[in-house]
């Protein structure tokens, strides 16, 4: 600790002695100010001593003001299964002592410590806390019944029991139920073999662990890269910092490292980074890295929710990155290679994830791949597969557009037209089903099960990409940038935030997203939005002296998010893109490099970019003035009306750009307080009534039936007609209009509407010892067994029907790996859709759930059904594509 105090004292001396010489403000808000050579944020200052050195006295306060109220929940197998959302346990650790212990709390019960917390009272350092839970009721149920029924009616079988864990709000506790099973330090033990599990934790320890460096000085030779100089020393220094961190991010095998704490090559990370600036600076490394994410001639979807593809489907951003590499290099061999990879991948997507009704593609939000961080807690991976997300659909729009353009160059006319049409359908779907006219920006995603509704939350990356890649209709692009809510420290990934979920994607700002937002803002000419985005990026990079992965939206601190890496590839790539793609406005065509500069007035002056390589040419670029209109553009002294250089250019050339230095017309931004939506109601059906929990004061409730609102009320009940099919949800709305997520869909219908088909009657019954199936057992499907299951159903009445499958998949945890199983359903020889069977828990084969539903029209009479495995049903694992199938449910609706 003394060492850090000494460092701070030295830095304070440096910062005071090197007083700010240029008080010109680049960006200012209540929270922070960015000057030409420094950043000031409350008591903290970062200053660029030169273009190669920055000092900062920033210290995270994350450990200084921790609430003494410890909130926690017990867990079986790491899942959130002890009590409903919001029914947490708590203990208050205040006073002079440093050792605390809870009473023995019965699993499923709630203990709330009512001790008062005085103003200014915080958790002391190195508090030791013992938590104890009585598991005897669970263990006795295992012994007598073979399973335990959790609060929500789900059976946890003795054979699947892996242990007792604890989750909570203060480190080392975490609310990350998806990964809790892997936190062995949070697994409780029955020391006395009496059914009482306990654990002792040290809270608020190692306060110095959250420190970042307090000075940066360039140590690498950056002369091979473009050299940037302007009258603003801080942006110049941050550009050099980003270049140096780029060098750190190249592994010995010439692939990109995702971040200091993130080893390996990740499809979406490298792709978004390549689009921003890595294609320009590291085209060979970009090619090698992209090839690393190809298997069997198809793009790899990184491990993710439910076992990756097709629950997660944003792998197609690879196509945009590959296209950018081609435009930068002109490498025809690369073009041919990339075309085949993209075509194979996109064609699989057209088979597996396309919603023919909306024209949209299914799958998890692009990059937002931590389930409860952006989805309601009730949504299982099969539900996430069914969601139709803004960012992911823009990615698929871009991929099909790229594929069409590649096909045009390569002479494949039919493929060109095919994918141009697919792209048009996706764009039409985005603008029809995701646009919110009352808000002036797109909604987050369509979600639900049989009947989907739109989540009104904004999704920053998707909004930016929709503008940048023209997925948004032209007349909507300015509106998106002006109307999407922006929080004080930057544009948060989603808005409003989800209550009770710790920062990571929720309640967080990601600098690479902010970079895309800046580029989209420049595209529509919104100077205020551009300056604000640049300010957000520069504040974080200067104070933290690294390009962090993310920071908390509430307070701008890098500490407090669930995971955070320094030297983050897409963050540093975004920082560099502000120079190339925003200030200089570089845009690569197939055979040219064009310039459409955007220099906000506060950044006015002269700037140069020398040693900039474009194919066989080296460009030395000088730009003077401000604005977004070019007054003069010369190449080697000769005026160029199209503001571009040809790919045929060779040798060294001088480019001079003079901007008209006229004010850009002012446009609005939606600066917003960082607000949270209400809790999602918990709904049940009792004797003709829907009943739900009260989630707070001054809350009204919308009742949704079959995707349409049927009531807006204050009461906590709603009478329904149970003789008719109804898919019911409830949404809480607070007085400012912020909405909760819709509750889990509750299907109410007469049992006569339902038909069950036991699959073991039509295929070889499995002899595996898994429990919990219905009927006389279950069927195992894999790449080698039961590749087809054939059966008939007799429909008594023509109409719309919902078909789903009860299944289990214990090949991996719910949040990662790549063993999601899926199959194609045919009805009367016609392809009807894809059923997905995502992972539900590592080795939890008695953990049964339902696939996604397929809604189809059936005529009266006999119908022939086939559940089939095809080549397009290949998952990312390639070897294991396995699930246990119990029963097919058919519901007339």
């Amino acid at each position: 600790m003394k060492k850090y105090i000494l460092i701070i004292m030295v830095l304070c001396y440096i910062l005071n002695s090197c007083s700010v010489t240029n008080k010109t403000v680049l960006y200012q808000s209540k929270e922070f100010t960015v000057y030409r050579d420094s950043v000031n944020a409350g008591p903290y200052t970062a200053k660029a001593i030169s273009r190669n050195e920055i000092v900062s006295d920033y210290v995270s306060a994350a450990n200084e003001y921790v609430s003494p109220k410890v909130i926690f929940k017990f867990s079986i197998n790491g899942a959130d299964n002890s009590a409903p959302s919001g029914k947490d346990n708590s203990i208050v650790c205040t006073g002079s002592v440093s050792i605390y212990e809870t009473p023995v709390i019965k699993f499923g019960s709630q203990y709330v410590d009512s001790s008062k917390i005085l103003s200014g009272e915080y958790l002391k350092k190195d508090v030791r806390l013992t938590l104890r839970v009585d598991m005897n009721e669970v263990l006795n149920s295992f012994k007598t019944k073979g399973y335990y029924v959790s609060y929500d009616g789900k059976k946890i079988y003795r054979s699947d029991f892996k242990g007792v864990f604890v989750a909570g709000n203060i480190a080392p506790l975490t609310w990350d139920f998806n990964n809790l099973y892997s936190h062995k330090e949070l697994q409780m033990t029955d020391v006395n073999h009496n059914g009482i599990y306990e654990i002792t934790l040290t809270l608020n320890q190692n306060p110095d662990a959250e420190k970042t460096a307090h000075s940066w000085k360039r140590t690498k030779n950056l002369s091979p890269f473009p050299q940037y100089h302007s009258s603003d020393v801080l942006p110049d220094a941050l550009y050099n910092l980003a270049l140096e961190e780029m060098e750190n991010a190249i592994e010995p095998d010439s692939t990109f490292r995702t971040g200091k704490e993130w080893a390996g090559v990740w499809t979406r990370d490298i792709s978004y980074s390549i689009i921003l600036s890595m294609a320009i600076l590291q085209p060979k490394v970009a090619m090698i890295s992209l090839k690393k994410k190809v298997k069997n001639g198809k793009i790899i979807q990184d491990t993710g929710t439910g076992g990756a593809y097709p629950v997660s489907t944003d792998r197609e951003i690879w196509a945009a990155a590959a296209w950018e590499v081609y435009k930068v290099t002109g490498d025809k061999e690369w073009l041919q290679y990339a075309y085949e990879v993209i075509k194979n991948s996109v064609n699989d997507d057209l088979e597996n994830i396309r919603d023919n009704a909306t024209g949209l593609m299914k799958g998890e939000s692009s990059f937002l791949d931590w389930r409860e961080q952006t989805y309601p807690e009730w949504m299982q991976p099969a539900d996430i597969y069914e969601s139709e997300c803004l960012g992911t659909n823009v990615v698929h729009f871009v991929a099909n557009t790229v594929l069409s353009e590649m096909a045009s160059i390569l002479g494949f006319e039919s493929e060109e037209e095919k994918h141009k049409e697919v792209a048009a359908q996706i764009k039409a779907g985005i603008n029809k089903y995701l646009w919110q006219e009352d808000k002036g920006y797109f909604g987050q995603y369509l979600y639900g099960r049989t009947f989907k509704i739109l989540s009104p939350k904004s999704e920053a990356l998707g909004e930016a990409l929709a503008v940048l890649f023209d997925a948004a209709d032209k007349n909507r692009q300015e509106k998106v940038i002006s109307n999407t809510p922006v929080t004080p420290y930057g544009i948060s990934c989603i808005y409003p935030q989800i209550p009770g979920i710790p920062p990571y994607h929720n309640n967080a700002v990601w600098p690479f997203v902010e970079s895309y937002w800046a580029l989209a803002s420049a595209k529509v000419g919104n100077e205020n939005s551009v300056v604000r985005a640049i300010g957000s990026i520069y504040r974080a990079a200067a104070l933290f002296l690294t390009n962090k992965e993310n920071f908390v939206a509430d307070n701008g601190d890098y500490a407090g998010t669930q995971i955070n890496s320094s030297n983050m590839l897409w963050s540093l790539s975004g920082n560099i893109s502000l120079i190339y793609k925003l200030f200089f406005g570089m845009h690569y065509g197939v055979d040219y490099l064009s310039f459409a500069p955007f220099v906000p007035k506060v950044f006015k002056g002269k700037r140069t970019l020398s040693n900039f390589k474009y194919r066989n040419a080296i460009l030395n670029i000088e730009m003077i003035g401000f604005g977004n209109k070019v007054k003069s553009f010369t190449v080697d002294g000769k005026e160029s009306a199209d503001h571009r250089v040809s790919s045929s250019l060779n040798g060294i050339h001088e480019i001079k750009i003079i901007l008209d230095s006229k004010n850009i017309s002012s446009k609005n931004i939606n600066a917003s307080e960082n607000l949270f939506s209400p809790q999602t109601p918990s709904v049940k059906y009792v004797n003709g009534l829907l009943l739900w929990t009260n989630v707070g004061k001054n809350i009204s409730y919308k009742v949704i039936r079959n995707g349409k609102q049927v009531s807006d009320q204050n009461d906590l009940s709603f009478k329904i007609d149970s003789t008719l099919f109804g898919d019911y949800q409830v949404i809480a709305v607070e007085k400012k209009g912020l909405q909760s997520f819709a509750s889990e869909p509750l299907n109410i219908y007469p049992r006569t509407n339902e038909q069950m088909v036991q699959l073991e009657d039509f295929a070889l019954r499995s002899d595996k010892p898994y429990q919990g199936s219905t009927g006389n057992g279950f069927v195992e499907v894999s790449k080698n067994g039961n590749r087809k299951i054939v059966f008939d159903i007799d429909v008594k009445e023509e109409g719309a029907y919902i078909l789903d499958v009860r299944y289990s998949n214990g090949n991996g945890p719910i949040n990662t790996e790549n063993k999601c199983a899926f199959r194609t359903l045919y009805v009367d020889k016609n392809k009807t859709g894809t059923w997905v069977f995502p992972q539900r828990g590592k080795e939890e084969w008695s953990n049964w759930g339902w696939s996604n539903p397929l809604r189809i029209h059936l005529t009266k009479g006999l119908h022939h059904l086939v559940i089939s495995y095809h080549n397009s049903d290949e998952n990312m694992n390639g070897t294991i594509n396995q699930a246990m199938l119990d029963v097919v449910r058919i519901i007339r609706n």
Side-chain angles (χ1 to χ4, degrees):
M1 190 66 176
K2 291 179 180 178
K3 178 180 72 173
Y4 287 107
I5 293 172
L6 180 61
I7 291 172
I8 296 298
M9 290 174 64
V10 172
L11 284 167
C12 288
Y13 174 78
I14 293 172
L15 290 166
N16 289 329
S17 62
C18 302
S19 58
V20 176
T21 56
N22 192 333
K23 284 289 187 180
T24 302
V25 172
L26 299 179
Y27 174 76
Q28 187 169 41
S29 69
K30 185 176 69 174
E31 289 72 25
F32 62 94
T33 304
V34 179
Y35 299 98
R36 285 191 162 186
D37 62 354
S38 58
V39 171
N40 179 259
Y44 305 117
T45 300
K47 182 174 174 60
I49 305 302
S50 71
R51 287 174 172 80
N52 296 301
E53 184 177 4
I54 312 172
V55 295
S56 171
D57 61 5
Y58 186 82
V59 177
S60 171
N63 290 87
E64 299 299 324
Y65 305 106
V66 178
S67 170
K69 186 175 184 179
V70 183
I71 303 171
F72 59 97
K73 264 181 148 177
F74 300 114
S75 159
I76 299 173
N77 295 344
D80 187 2
N81 49 24
S82 65
S85 177
K87 192 177 179 182
D88 305 325
N89 304 297
S90 66
I91 182 170
V92 176
C93 301
T94 58
S96 58
V97 299
S98 295
I99 300 175
Y100 299 85
E101 184 178 277
T102 67
V104 176
I105 304 167
K106 181 181 174 183
F107 187 85
S109 298
Q110 184 180 29
Y111 171 75
V112 177
D113 188 342
S114 59
S115 302
K116 290 185 177 179
I117 302 172
L118 301 177
S119 177
E121 197 167 21
Y122 301 103
L123 187 68
K124 294 191 296 296
K125 302 292 186 293
D126 298 321
V127 166
R128 287 180 63 80
L129 172 63
T130 299
L131 304 172
R132 299 186 296 167
V133 59
D134 183 349
M135 296 296 295
N136 279 296
E137 182 177 300
V138 175
L139 298 174
N140 287 336
S141 184
F142 282 159
K143 192 178 296 183
T144 58
K145 299 178 182 177
Y147 60 85
Y148 169 76
V149 181
S150 61
Y151 76 92
D152 55 359
K154 293 178 181 176
K155 291 180 180 179
I156 303 169
Y157 283 86
R158 181 179 182 177
S159 58
D160 287 343
F161 179 59
K162 304 296 188 303
V164 180
F165 296 80
V166 62
N169 66 327
I170 298 174
L173 292 171
T174 174
W175 287 118
D176 180 14
F177 284 103
N178 278 340
N179 292 294
L180 193 58
Y181 71 93
S182 64
H183 285 273
K184 298 304 179 185
E185 74 279 10
L186 299 179
Q187 185 167 0
M188 307 178 75
T189 55
D190 183 359
V191 177
N192 297 318
H193 305 288
N194 60 355
I196 308 299
Y197 285 69
E198 60 183 60
I199 190 171
T200 299
L201 303 169
T202 302
L203 308 179
N204 208 21
Q205 59 182 329
N206 301 326
D208 293 334
E210 296 295 353
K211 297 290 188 290
T212 54
H214 289 292
S215 65
W216 167 80
K217 193 170 186 177
R218 182 178 62 81
T219 59
K220 295 183 182 294
N221 176 21
L222 302 179
S223 61
F225 305 108
Q227 302 297 297
Y228 175 67
H229 292 270
S230 75
S231 55
D232 305 322
V233 65
L234 180 67
D236 293 14
L238 292 174
Y239 171 79
N240 286 332
L241 168 64
L243 285 181
E244 187 159 277
E245 291 201 321
M246 173 193 70
E247 286 281 82
N248 296 338
I250 298 175
E251 300 280 32
D253 65 351
S254 295
T255 60
F256 287 122
R257 182 183 179 91
T258 299
K260 183 179 179 182
E261 282 76 38
W262 286 106
V265 183
W266 294 76
T267 302
R268 67 175 67 91
D269 296 62
I270 62 164
S271 297
Y272 281 119
S273 302
I274 288 166
I275 296 164
L276 286 166
S277 60
M278 288 301 103
I280 298 172
L281 289 169
Q282 300 286 351
K284 293 298 182 185
V285 177
M287 287 183 186
I288 294 168
S289 298
L290 288 170
K291 283 185 174 181
K292 192 93 170 179
K293 302 308 297 182
V294 175
K295 181 179 179 180
N296 297 328
K298 300 174 185 178
I299 305 165
I300 295 172
Q301 180 72 45
D302 293 322
T303 61
T305 299
Y309 187 82
V311 175
S312 295
T313 64
D314 68 338
R315 62 179 179 159
E316 298 299 352
I317 194 61
W318 190 100
W323 181 235
E324 189 74 5
V325 169
Y326 170 67
K327 290 187 295 180
V328 168
T329 64
D331 187 325
K332 287 293 177 65
E333 287 187 11
W334 172 255
L335 176 68
Q336 183 67 57
Y337 169 80
Y339 171 77
E340 293 297 333
V341 171
I342 298 166
K343 183 180 72 171
N344 294 339
S345 306
V346 166
N347 284 337
D348 274 2
D349 290 342
L350 293 175
E351 292 292 324
N352 297 321
I353 64 172
R354 192 179 192 183
D355 183 340
N356 292 321
T358 63
L360 296 171
M361 309 298 271
K362 302 175 183 180
E364 193 165 38
S365 293
S366 183
F367 119 86
L368 304 174
D369 61 340
W370 190 333
R371 191 169 56 114
E372 68 270 23
Q373 285 282 331
T374 46
Y375 284 96
E377 289 186 20
W378 59 262
M379 286 185 73
Q380 295 294 304
D383 300 316
I384 292 174
Y385 162 80
E386 278 293 331
S387 64
E388 300 175 24
C389 307
L390 174 61
T392 300
N393 271 279
V394 177
V395 165
H396 285 282
F397 163 76
V398 173
N400 279 275
T401 301
V402 163
L403 191 54
S404 176
E405 293 189 36
M406 286 182 168
S408 176
I409 295 170
L410 295 170
F412 301 123
E413 187 175 339
S414 63
E415 289 295 311
E416 175 190 358
E417 292 304 317
K418 171 185 173 181
H419 293 288
K420 184 185 293 184
E421 177 60 24
V422 173
Q425 291 171 1
I426 295 172
K427 178 174 179 175
I430 289 171
N431 286 278
K432 179 177 181 179
Y433 294 102
L434 302 182
W435 179 252
Q436 302 178 103
E437 188 62 39
D438 60 329
K439 297 183 183 297
Y441 53 85
F442 293 99
Q444 184 182 18
Y445 45 62
L446 297 177
Y447 71 120
R449 286 188 180 138
T450 308
F451 299 93
K452 296 175 185 177
I453 60 176
L454 178 62
S455 168
K457 292 182 187 291
S458 64
E459 191 254 284
L461 180 61
E463 311 281 354
L465 296 179
V467 171
L468 200 57
F469 291 110
D470 288 320
D473 288 342
K474 288 289 185 184
N475 64 336
R476 290 174 172 172
Q477 293 181 11
E478 284 189 24
K479 294 178 182 179
V480 169
I481 300 301
S482 295
N483 294 322
T484 303
V486 179
T487 55
Y489 287 97
I491 188 161
S492 58
C493 295
I494 60 171
Y495 187 92
Q497 316 305 330
I498 306 171
I501 301 298
Y504 185 60
H505 295 134
N506 185 58
N507 192 21
V509 176
W510 288 58
F512 97 92
V513 175
E514 194 75 85
S515 297
Y516 276 104
W517 189 261
L519 297 175
S521 300
K523 182 174 185 283
V524 302
N526 192 322
E527 184 178 25
N528 290 329
S529 184
V530 168
V531 173
R532 184 215 55 76
I534 293 173
S536 173
I537 294 166
Y538 284 173
R539 179 204 74 90
L543 289 176
F544 307 155
L545 294 179
T546 183
N547 289 279
K548 281 284 188 182
E549 180 178 1
N550 50 51
F551 52 85
V552 180
D554 270 342
N555 56 25
D557 191 8
Y558 65 84
T561 61
Q562 292 293 283
I563 304 171
N564 204 347
S565 177
S566 300
N567 209 127
M568 198 69 182
L569 182 66
W570 50 17
S571 300
L572 68 90
S573 300
N575 207 322
I576 293 169
S577 76
L578 298 179
I579 307 302
Y580 301 165
K581 295 198 168 185
L582 195 148
F583 287 158
F584 286 94
M586 294 180 180
H587 171 77
Y588 286 84
V590 170
D591 56 4
Y592 65 86
L593 170 61
S594 67
F595 295 80
F598 192 106
V599 180
K601 188 174 184 178
V602 293
F603 288 92
K604 65 183 178 181
K606 177 182 174 181
R607 64 196 72 243
T608 63
L609 190 64
S610 59
N611 193 36
F612 187 88
K613 297 176 178 63
Y614 173 53
R615 299 201 183 173
N616 296 316
I618 295 177
L619 310 179
N620 296 316
I621 310 165
E622 177 185 291
M623 185 163 64
I624 300 172
F626 69 89
N628 63 348
K629 298 288 190 299
V630 175
K631 182 178 180 181
S632 172
F633 186 97
T634 62
V635 181
D636 299 328
K638 296 180 180 179
E639 195 71 34
S640 172
D642 57 6
H643 310 154
R644 63 172 60 175
V645 295
S646 169
S647 61
S648 62
L649 209 62
N650 288 282
I652 300 173
H653 299 272
E654 306 295 322
I655 295 177
K656 186 169 183 178
I657 306 170
I658 300 176
L659 301 177
D660 68 358
S661 294
K662 292 182 180 179
N663 291 335
I664 300 169
S665 59
S666 181
K667 294 175 182 175
N668 295 329
I669 61 173
N670 185 8
S672 302
E673 181 185 356
N674 191 35
L675 298 177
F676 289 74
S677 58
Q679 288 278 4
T680 303
S682 177
V683 183
K684 60 184 179 181
Y685 170 72
V686 179
N687 296 329
L689 290 176
L690 287 184
L691 305 173
W692 56 87
T693 52
N694 184 359
V695 300
K697 297 179 180 179
N698 301 315
I699 298 288
S700 62
Y701 299 91
K702 294 180 180 180
V703 180
I704 309 297
R705 180 180 182 271
N706 297 347
K708 305 292 183 183
Q709 182 177 323
V710 293
S711 179
D712 188 349
Q713 60 184 67
N714 295 320
D715 294 339
L716 300 178
S717 64
F718 180 76
K719 188 175 181 179
I720 65 173
D721 183 353
S722 59
T723 65
L724 300 175
F725 177 92
D727 181 292
Y728 291 95
Q729 296 177 279
V730 177
I731 298 171
V733 185
E734 53 91 82
K735 59 183 180 181
K736 292 182 180 179
L738 300 181
Q739 296 186 15
S740 73
F741 284 125
S743 62
E744 182 170 8
L746 189 60
N747 284 350
I748 307 299
Y749 54 86
R751 290 304 111 183
T752 53
N753 283 26
E754 182 180 272
Q755 182 181 166
M756 294 288 200
V757 178
Q758 295 292 339
L759 291 176
E760 67 274 14
D761 294 339
F762 300 93
L764 181 65
R765 184 175 63 185
S766 173
D767 60 359
K768 289 185 166 57
Y770 309 142
Q771 299 172 281
S773 62
T774 61
N776 295 314
F778 53 88
V779 171
E780 178 182 356
V781 294
S782 68
K783 291 183 70 173
N784 300 316
N786 288 318
R787 288 174 65 98
K788 282 188 178 182
I789 301 177
V790 181
F791 58 97
D792 293 335
I793 59 173
D794 188 9
V795 173
K796 302 299 182 185
E797 183 179 347
E798 182 174 355
Y801 286 80
I802 302 165
L803 284 73
D804 56 4
V805 183
R806 190 168 185 261
Y807 80 97
S808 75
N809 182 345
N811 279 311
I814 200 170
N815 65 313
T816 187
E817 298 192 18
N818 59 6
K819 304 181 190 74
C820 178
F822 54 105
R823 297 294 185 270
T824 302
L825 174 67
Y826 290 86
V827 177
D828 301 327
K829 298 183 179 181
N830 297 312
K831 181 179 177 181
T832 300
T834 298
W835 269 328
V836 298
F837 312 118
Q839 298 163 187
R840 295 185 56 81
K842 188 72 172 177
E843 298 301 328
E844 293 184 27
W845 288 102
S846 298
N847 180 349
W848 298 87
W850 291 96
S851 73
N852 59 303
L854 296 175
R855 190 165 185 253
I856 61 176
H857 185 88
L858 293 174
T859 57
K860 182 179 179 180
L862 208 61
H863 292 274
H864 188 68
L865 278 67
V866 180
I867 303 172
S868 182
Y869 177 84
H870 293 288
N871 289 338
S872 61
D873 296 321
E874 184 70 273
N875 64 14
M876 292 296 109
N877 183 269
T879 302
I880 300 173
N881 193 324
Q882 174 196 34
M884 308 301 148
L885 306 187
D886 178 20
V887 62
V888 174
R889 179 172 58 180
I890 303 149
I891 304 169
R892 181 167 59 83
N893 70 303

